[in-house]
Amino acid sequence: MNKNSLLNIANFLCQFYKVLIAIAIIITTTIFIHFQFDKDSYKEWKIEQPESDSPIRYETTDVVGENPIGDQKLKLSDWRFLSLYFSYLKFIAILILNYLIITQFGKVLKSVRELKTFHQTNVEAFRKIGYYCLLITGLSTFNYWAFNEYTKTSFSVSINVLLLSLIAFILAEIFKEGNNLMEENQLTI
């Protein structure tokens, strides 16, 4: 089944996304480290106010002084130490989990290309994908943004990632049943 072009395209996209994630980790870490040594280089860098698009959320915002609303953006150089580290570590962890998800999905694609579709390794791969999605949901639940005069904390649940987790666990069970049927079929022959 090595000639299946759709599987080849999916495999290429998995490899491509893994490279993009690795590059994003390297660039983010480089900027993060440079920011620690030379905050003045980032005085002109501004970012949007943090927003949560989750329908299930609770937010608190504290503003001291002038409220940065509308077109006014927050200065990157005003980012507080604890909030910066928290956001960086959370972002890197989510990128790593996405890398692991794509790696597991690539393993499933490889086994399908080798005609080993309903093997136990695919069941384990889909379960890992489900657990990684749950971890991403857990990491994304709490947000803490603190700048000199602006602080925002929020709790939100990402329904999309939870749904992906549920789908991954359902696929794991489907592949487990397929594996059981395949093993029973081999024993009867």
Side-chain angles (χ1 to χ4, degrees):
M1 202 178 221
N2 285 334
K3 303 226 183 228
N4 188 330
S5 61
L6 187 59
L7 287 176
N8 290 333
I9 291 170
N11 189 44
F12 171 76
L13 288 175
C14 284
Q15 298 304 319
F16 179 72
Y17 287 135
K18 284 170 51 175
V19 169
L20 283 181
I21 290 171
I23 291 170
I25 290 171
I26 291 168
I27 290 172
T28 304
T29 303
T30 303
I31 291 172
F32 177 76
I33 291 170
H34 186 261
F35 184 79
Q36 303 305 308
F37 293 110
D38 191 12
K39 266 190 175 182
D40 293 335
S41 297
Y42 300 92
K43 279 187 176 181
E44 300 303 317
W45 286 31
K46 298 185 184 220
I47 59 173
E48 300 284 334
Q49 288 185 35
E51 294 288 329
S52 174
D53 59 355
S54 174
I56 303 172
R57 68 175 176 262
Y58 171 76
E59 296 178 348
T60 62
T61 304
D62 296 322
V63 179
V64 177
E66 192 176 319
N67 189 3
I69 54 175
D71 293 336
Q72 201 173 12
K73 296 181 182 179
L74 301 166
K75 288 184 179 178
L76 191 64
S77 60
D78 291 342
W79 210 336
R80 289 190 198 156
F81 179 81
L82 183 63
S83 172
L84 174 68
Y85 273 77
F86 176 78
S87 298
Y88 168 75
L89 292 174
K90 184 173 94 166
F91 182 70
I92 293 299
I94 289 171
L95 284 177
I96 290 169
L97 288 168
N98 277 304
Y99 184 91
L100 293 173
I101 288 170
I102 292 170
T103 300
Q104 292 301 317
F105 189 68
K107 287 180 182 178
V108 171
L109 290 175
K110 180 181 177 188
S111 71
V112 170
R113 282 183 19 190
E114 295 173 352
L115 300 175
K116 298 178 183 176
T117 306
F118 292 108
H119 282 242
Q120 187 63 28
T121 55
N122 287 344
V123 174
E124 293 166 6
F126 278 118
R127 282 191 183 142
K128 286 180 183 178
I129 290 170
Y131 289 128
Y132 295 151
C133 288
L134 285 177
L135 284 171
I136 289 173
T137 300
L139 286 171
S140 301
T141 300
F142 179 71
N143 296 303
Y144 173 64
W145 293 70
F147 294 82
N148 283 345
E149 299 173 350
Y150 177 84
T151 302
K152 181 175 186 173
T153 56
S154 68
F155 295 93
S156 59
V157 178
S158 176
I159 302 297
N160 296 340
V161 181
L162 273 178
L163 185 61
L164 284 175
S165 178
L166 178 65
I167 290 170
F169 285 126
I170 289 170
L171 284 172
E173 290 304 311
I174 291 170
F175 275 69
K176 180 181 170 187
E177 288 302 315
N179 183 34
N180 290 341
L181 289 173
M182 183 189 72
E183 287 177 357
E184 285 177 17
N185 190 27
Q186 288 176 349
L187 293 175
T188 57
I189 294 177

